[in-house]
Amino acid sequence: MNNQIQVIKKIIPSTFNIEKKEACAFAPSNIALCKYWGKRDEYLNLPATSSLSISLGSKGAFCKIVPLKEAREDLIHLNEKLLPMNHIFTQQILNYLSFFRRSGKNTYQIQFNLNIPVAAGLASSACIFAALIQALNALHQWKLKPSELSILARLGSGSASRSLWKGFVKWQAGEDFLGMDSHGIPLEEKWPELCIGLYILSQAKKPISSREAMKKTINTAVFYKSWPEKVAKDLSNIEDAISKKDFEQLGSTTESNALSLHALMANAVPAIVYSLPETLACMHHVWHLRQEGIPVFFTQDAGPNLKLFFLEKDEAIIKSAFPKLEVIKPFQEKFDYA
Ligand code: 2P0
């Protein structure tokens, strides 16, 4: 029995065939302040290090799931389009669903609608798998705890383990070989003045998936051995900054963590570079603003787009410096997706 199935059997009750006619769920996207990059188990997406993120409020994925009585195949829709069976996204979803099918006969129509760009470094896979597992939980009435849903979401995509909650979420690496201790934990602290600006420079599909990029970095980057130590320090600084509401400490550590991650990727062979010329121009703009005394910082994930961090008091000045910026206030969202 493979390890994914063992995990599922430990979490999901054996009698799970009471189905509703349909179920819907929403999960927010999340942006890591301290990044996950590297696995201790690639089948269970168990991370080499812990990581910490902030959820993006109402930006994420909606999932509707309807069991099909007579269809031989699942039907997977993304943003109102039926995807062909050989599409890479369909394959990822079918692979994930295969862990949960006991009779092998149940098929589903699944519709995903995202209000963020897909596969452009905005954690689309995180919110997709977190929304899907919540929809499956509701459909089958498993009544699982959020930490259990986080473990199951992780089997689809590592960062999905952090997309089950609002606010700050820490994903602990854990030590258990099946990863029963590797799930998200929401932090209690709230920070209403905190703003995130999404600076979308390109919506094009990324040249290399984060999964592949992660694998290549670990296998070829000689700098990788220093990464766990960097993460441990950054994580502790970020948690400390959140508890003290020290924005300079939060922003500078977050930015340093992202720059180190991208240096690490550039050290892979062949080098992995997600930045575009516009990405660097935006970074210089941020640094220039900081020299002028405006506290603004950035982070970058597996794509060219940047996310800016600043406080509400500086919103007007940041918006005038970056007119295309979409501003999210994760702790002020009225939208209730629970
Ligand atoms: C993160 N990223 O912490 C890091 C930083 C991108 C850059 O997690 O293979 O889609 O599915 O576990 O979660 C993106 O990688 O990778 C990611 P898999 P995932 O947000």
Side-chain angles (χ1 to χ4, degrees), residues 30 32 34-37 39 45 51 125 156-159 162 210-211 214 261 301-302:
N30 75 76
C34 184
K35 312 291 186 191
Y36 146 59
W37 205 254
K39 307 186 189 196
N45 291 327
S51 59
S125 63
S157 183
S159 49
R162 302 185 307 236
S210 23
R211 189 162 291 190
M214 215 181 272
L261 171 65
D301 292 289

Side-chain angles (χ1 to χ4, degrees), residues 30-270:
N30 75 76
I31 301 299
L33 307 174
C34 184
K35 312 291 186 191
Y36 146 59
W37 205 254
K39 307 186 189 196
R40 65 182 167 90
D41 183 309
E42 68 174 288
Y43 296 100
L44 298 174
N45 291 327
L46 289 176
T49 62
S50 300
S51 59
L52 195 149
S53 63
I54 174 85
S55 290
L56 284 186
S58 59
K59 292 275 171 201
F62 294 86
C63 174
K64 179 175 176 186
I65 183 162
V66 181
L68 297 173
K69 291 257 151 42
E70 299 192 350
R72 285 178 31 235
E73 288 185 333
D74 301 286
L75 302 171
I76 312 293
H77 300 250
L78 178 61
N79 290 338
E80 314 295 340
K81 277 198 196 121
L82 176 64
L83 297 179
M85 288 314 262
N86 61 0
H87 193 284
I88 181 149
F89 179 73
T90 315
Q91 292 296 320
Q92 283 170 358
I93 298 298
L94 296 187
N95 183 45
Y96 186 68
L97 289 174
S98 72
F99 305 150
F100 300 90
R101 284 194 235 266
R102 299 222 172 149
S103 69
K105 286 188 189 144
N106 45 339
T107 52
Y108 304 102
Q109 179 177 46
I110 305 181
Q111 291 167 280
F112 294 101
N113 281 300
L114 273 70
N115 53 15
I116 50 161
V118 176
L122 283 169
S124 52
S125 63
C127 52
I128 281 171
F129 284 103
L132 176 56
I133 193 62
Q134 290 182 89
L136 284 166
N137 182 45
L139 185 76
H140 294 290
Q141 300 178 2
W142 291 329
K143 300 188 166 67
L144 301 181
K145 294 187 284 198
S147 58
E148 293 172 322
L149 292 171
S150 170
I151 290 173
L152 297 179
R154 166 169 52 71
L155 301 181
S157 183
S159 49
S161 64
R162 302 185 307 236
S163 267
L164 275 298
W165 297 271
K166 303 174 186 183
F168 297 112
V169 179
K170 182 176 179 181
W171 170 19
Q172 52 183 15
E175 289 174 353
D176 179 46
F177 92 107
L178 282 180
M180 303 310 289
D181 55 357
S182 182
H183 53 77
I185 299 177
L187 304 194
E188 277 178 11
E189 287 93 342
K190 303 201 179 347
W191 199 332
E193 306 80 20
L194 188 68
C195 297
I196 303 173
L198 299 184
Y199 199 62
I200 309 290
L201 298 154
S202 165
Q203 299 219 19
K205 197 170 172 303
K206 51 190 160 192
I208 172 168
S209 71
S210 23
R211 189 162 291 190
E212 272 308 299
M214 215 181 272
K215 222 190 263 182
K216 285 214 162 101
T217 314
I218 295 148
N219 292 338
T220 65
V222 292
F223 293 173
Y224 191 75
K225 56 181 180 305
S226 61
W227 177 244
E229 197 185 326
K230 167 75 179 153
V231 167
K233 262 192 215 152
D234 288 350
L235 203 53
S236 145
N237 267 340
I238 289 172
E239 288 185 275
D240 182 52
I242 292 171
S243 69
K244 293 189 307 203
K245 296 253 169 65
D246 183 333
F247 182 68
E248 288 279 338
Q249 184 173 325
L250 180 84
S252 58
T253 314
T254 296
E255 191 174 294
S256 162
N257 186 267
L259 287 168
S260 304
L261 171 65
H262 285 269
L264 194 61
M265 291 190 219
N267 184 235
V269 183

